[in-house]
Structures are given as structure tokens and as C-alpha cells.
Amino acid sequence: MSEGLTIPIGPQHPSLKEPVSFLITLDGEVVKKAVIELGYNHRGLEKACESRTYIQDLYIIERVCGICSHAHSYAYCRCVEELAGLQTPRRAEYIRGIVGELERLHSHLLWLGVAGHEIGFDTLFMYTWRDRERVLDLLAEIGGNRVNYGINTIGGVRRDLDENICQHILDVMDGLEEQIKYYAELANTEATLIARLAGIGILTRDDVIKYGAVGPVARAAGIMDDVRIVEPYGVFTEIKVNGVTDDHADVYGRTVVRIKEMLESIRLIRLMVKEMPDGPISVRAPRRIPTGEIIIRVEAPRGEDVHYLRSNGTDKPDRVRVRAPSEANWHGMKHMLEGFHFADVPIIIAAIDPCYSCTDRAIMLRSDKGDTVTDWESLRRTGIERYKKMGIDPSKIRMRTSGV
Amino acid sequence: MKKIKKIFIPGKIVARAITSAFKKPATIKYPKSKPDIAPGYRGRLIYSPTNCIDCMMCMRDCPTGAITIKNLGTKENKEMHAYLNIGRCIFCCQCVDTCPKKCLSFSQDIMLSKLNRDNLTIEL
């Protein structure tokens, strides 16, 4: 029996425009074995957070992910607020809720476009990305930037919503609802879309539990793991979310779940804008955070986002750990790919809505040969010595220089 | 496999194509016409030195170390200057929130590109 043909995919943008490498072994047209190599995008975010103050960390945490920027900063702010014992105003929670749901809309619209592009349905790509622009313009108006809105701060939000913006949000929602209903109809009736997506990348209910998948991947297999429902936080303690699940357990199921979630998001945004209370938008936060440790879960567009924070009583965190939703979904990817056609590989990868830069964290592999744990200072010293041998002297480089 | 309820007829797309043909294009001729910037968009900072007390809180809170406040005069006769490295600035405007005397604000100026790296540091 032959060994099969091994094809490397990546690390230059396989299916999505971020680096990851796949080694796919084929048996004819069918994927026999898949090996996933992550780690091309490690940025040392957690270490960077530990060497900066809590306020500076807000903007690093916001840049963990390009799409879920609000979810990450919200989870981080909640960690700090819980440790400091701050009670955020209700209006701030409503504004956070509105921005969070707008973010979910723009993330799912982006995904729907990418999925359309992967299966050669570029009209859908153009349509959804046009609609996404309207959401991004709205977010730029609310927060001041298209992607890194910077709406969250420790103790509340940085900007208030006035009547004009609220009216604009409602107007955009009216237009979007019509469009998303059209996409829902498309997903139900378009024969080519169903034929292309149904029955591939299957991850059944048992497999989801086994591999610990989260978000729309789990919900497409019938498991309700929406943190807004199972562990309500912020505004969702007052406003109930109608969860969306599906029983297809394949790429088609994930598409249906995301489209229905967008309709639910629109309902939630309308409700939150209508019921938003008056009052202050933030409370004063201390610079030094009391000692303690905490784990907070927030529902990002891609699934459950877990943040761990440990404080030692200073103005800098002792440890920050970010478990982005994509990180949980990678474990089942090998199982999802094996047994399906090679042509389906891009859409199966895209179906978990992967974010590679979210995923990469430092991992220490220890063998039995007596490996040692290196601390930060000796690691830096080793690096400087290595460059000195190459004729470069980096020891004079100041780690953090000011602008002038 | 999901059963197909009905065959989708692309009639809507034809109607959309006709209406879109008479609409203004969504794109603009970029360098010639200015893009629409939302009123609250965070762009280049504005500094008014009159109230500045040289507390340097903005420098302390800046996530990237982009802003520098310098007193070129004496303690009694202050002559405050602010410098911004626009290559480092991420336009988060935390300095605007931090400033206790509200000396910093932001504009909607986003045309900040320079041809030379040395010119990236500008005086506000």
C-alpha cells in the first residue's frame, strides 16, 4: 500500500491571510492525515502586558485579535474591576453590550464573506463585506476607530452614546436586518451553497466535548455554550439572549448558526438602545490593584474568551493569560479535516473562523534530558551574547524609548 | 444532508443590479477627494500649553511612549512643548483621557504620512 502524497499548505496564508502550516497526506483525493503547525505569529503579548501598567495594557489586550478587540478588552477590564471591587455603572454596561453585539455582527459578516470567497461564491463576499462596512462606520462613530474602538476603560466606558448616534444605530439595523434575512433565505434555499457546505468538516456532539471546541462550532453540534446564557454577565443579566443551536454539526450548521446569531444580535442591539438607562458612564479606578487572581469568561464572536489575571498589589499585573476562542477550536481541526476531500480543506479551516495571532502563545516543551527553565533576564542576556557573536551589539538598545 | 425546499431564483439580484447601476459608487478618488471621517474619529493630537502643569501623566500612561512633554523654559517661566512620534502613536487617545487639565485633545486629521523616518516626530 502506498504512503500517500504529502502536500504542505502554508505558512503563507492558507485559506485566510495569516500564517499557519498544514501538512496534508492524501490518499487519492481524500485527506488521510493532517498535521497542523502553529507558532508563526507569536508576539509575546502576555509578557508585554506584565511589563506595563494596567492602563497601558488595555491597548495591548485590545490588539490580541483584530476582530474581537472589544471582547478581549472587555474581559480584561472585568478582571481588573472585579479585583479592584469596582461597580461599573449600568449605562456603561449597556454601551459595552451594544458595542459587543455590533462587533459580533461585523465578525460574522466578515466570516460569511470569507466563507463565500473560499467556496467560489464571490458575490456573497461582496455583499456581506459591503454590509460590514456600514457596521464598521458605525463603530468608528461610536468609538473613534474602525477596529480598535477603544471604548472600554477600567471602571466603565470612555465615550457616551448621544441621541443622534442611537438613531443612526437603529437606522443601520433596519437596513442590515433586511440584508441578513436575505442571507438566511439564501442559506436555506441556494442549492450550490448547501451542496458545497453540507456534510463536510463534521465535528459531532461527542467530538466537541472530547476536543473542547467552543463558539459556533460547538453550537452547530447542538451544545449551548454561549457564555451570555450559561453565565450571564454585564448587561446580559438584565437582557436575556435567545441562544442559537443547530444539529447539522458540519460547516453548513456553522453557517446557519452564525446567520441566526446575527439576527439575534440585531434584536439585542435594538432592545439595548431602547432600554439604555441614564447616568454616569464610568467610575474612578485606582492605579494600584489589590492582590488577587481571577478568571473571567466573555462571549467573543468566535466563542468563549477566557482571561486570567494575577495581581501583586502594584500598578502592573503579575501574570496575564489570554485563552482566545480560536485556541480551543484548533484541537478538533485534525479530526475535522481527516476523511474529507482535499478541495474542502480551505473551507473546513475557515469554518472555525480561525484567528492565528490570537492563538500563538509561548509553550515550553520539557524533555527528560534535564532541561532548565530560563527566566526573563537570563533569556535577554543569552540573546545579547548571541548577537554579539554575530558582530551586532544590541545591549545599548533601550527597551522602551520615548518619542524624542 | 439538508433537503432543498425550493430552487432559488436569482430575480432579486437582477433588480439589485439595475438599481445599483444608477447609484453613486461607494469608492472615492482618494488623493483628490477627501475621505469621510466620522466626527469622533481619533486622529492627530492637539496640544494647548497654556494650562499644562508638566505633570507628565500623559507620558506615563502612553502605551507606546509616543508623546513627550518638555519644559524648555525655567520652573517659573514655563515654556511647554509637546512632541509626538507619529510612527509610534496608535491614536488610542489615552493621553487625552488622562490629562488632568484637559490640555490635550484630538482632531480628525489622519493625513500624517511622511517620506522620511526622521520627520515622524512632530511638534504638537
Side-chain angles (χ1 to χ4, degrees), chain B residues 15-16 18-19 21 46-47 67 72 82-83 86 89 97 101 112 118:
Chain B
R16 263 159 208 272
I18 293 167
T19 49
I46 300 169
Y47 176 63
I67 193 164
L72 298 182
Y83 303 93
I86 46 175
C89 183
D97 289 2
K101 294 288 174 188
L112 297 169
D118 299 333

Side-chain angles (χ1 to χ4, degrees), chain A residues 56 59 143 148-149 158-159, chain B residues 40 42 61-62 65 92 94 97:
Chain A
Q56 290 174 327
Y59 303 100
N148 295 311
Y149 334 115
R158 292 171 67 193
R159 288 198 187 183
Chain B
R42 299 192 299 263
D61 276 352
C62 181
C92 64
Q94 178 61 44
D97 289 2

Side-chain angles (χ1 to χ4, degrees), chain A residues 11-24:
Chain A
Q12 272 78 25
H13 54 82
S15 80
L16 296 171
K17 310 291 178 287
E18 279 186 272
V20 66
S21 175
F22 297 88
L23 276 176
I24 307 280

Side-chain angles (χ1 to χ4, degrees), chain A residues 154-175:
Chain A
I154 297 163
V157 290
R158 292 171 67 193
R159 288 198 187 183
D160 204 356
L161 299 183
D162 61 19
E163 277 180 16
N164 290 337
I165 295 181
C166 288
Q167 190 53 46
H168 191 193
I169 292 172
L170 294 176
D171 291 347
V172 172
M173 286 309 119
D174 290 344

Side-chain angles (χ1 to χ4, degrees), chain A residues 203-215 217-218 223 225 304 323-332:
Chain A
L203 200 70
T204 57
R205 193 187 166 89
D206 294 338
D207 292 332
V208 166
I209 294 167
K210 184 178 167 191
Y211 294 110
V214 295
V217 180
I223 296 175
D225 75 332
E304 176 199 49
R323 206 295 316 265
S326 300
E327 208 173 333
N329 280 336
W330 275 118
H331 302 286

